[in-house]
Structure formats: C-alpha cells, structure tokens
Amino acid sequence: MTKRREFVLRVIPLAGALAVLPRVTLAADAPPLAEEDKMAVSLGFRLSSAKVDQAKYPKHTTEQVCGKCLHYKSPEADTAKCDLFSKIVPKGGWCSGFSKRP
Ligand code: SF4
C-alpha cells in the first residue's frame, strides 16, 4: 500500500467522524427539561400537551405541541432541544412560549 493511499484511508473516516461529533455532543449536552424547572413552571410547561391547565391557558389547543413549535430544533425526532429553554423536550410537550412553525 502506498503512503498516499494509506493516508487517504486513515484521514477520510476521521474527517467524517469529526463532522458528526459536534452534533452528537451538543444534543447530549442539553439536559431534559423537567416540569418542576423554575422557568418551565413560569411558562406552564408540560411534558404532554394534553395535560395543560386549560383554565390557565385558554388559548392552548391540543394541536399545539413542541414538535410543531418554531423553537423545537429537530421536528422529525421524538425529543429535541428547545432553544427557548436550551434543554431537551418531548415532541408532545407544550409551554406558553409555543410559536407555530411556518
Ligand atoms: S417553546 Fe416550543 S418547543 Fe419549547 S417547550 Fe415551549 S412549546 Fe415546546
């Protein structure tokens, strides 16, 4: 095996791993958001949109879920980082910061 070929075979997989690593690390760095979190409480966050206090949030509908919110970073995933809290939330969650994804 030539040195050039050996170099290419070693560098290309390493470059691919380095390209993926920051995304994996960022997702793993964010902790899950708990309903008891101080900011979560102030925004009425619930892990399930079906459990929102409708009397307190009359404009809430069950169609409003994190997965359809502009702040939810990976709409295809079951859980994702919410950029309002910088924490992981479930696709079916909700808070009063909900903003419908266009
Ligand atoms: S801002 Fe959006 S994604 Fe974040 S918790 Fe509230 S509804 Fe869910």
Side-chain angles (χ1 to χ4, degrees), residues 31-89:
L33 179 62
E35 290 179 342
E36 300 78 23
D37 179 290
K38 199 172 183 180
M39 187 173 160
V41 169
S42 71
L43 291 177
F45 172 74
R46 301 299 298 212
L47 292 167
S48 169
S49 182
K51 294 186 176 173
V52 170
D53 182 348
Q54 204 60 39
K56 195 171 180 183
Y57 300 101
K59 291 182 179 174
H60 165 264
T61 69
T62 51
E63 288 84 44
Q64 296 175 356
V65 291
C66 293
K68 295 179 181 174
C69 179
L70 195 60
H71 300 290
Y72 193 76
K73 294 290 117 197
S74 304
E76 69 287 345
D78 289 341
T79 61
K81 189 173 181 179
C82 164
D83 64 9
L84 196 68
F85 292 100
S86 293
K87 292 187 177 176
I88 301 295
V89 297

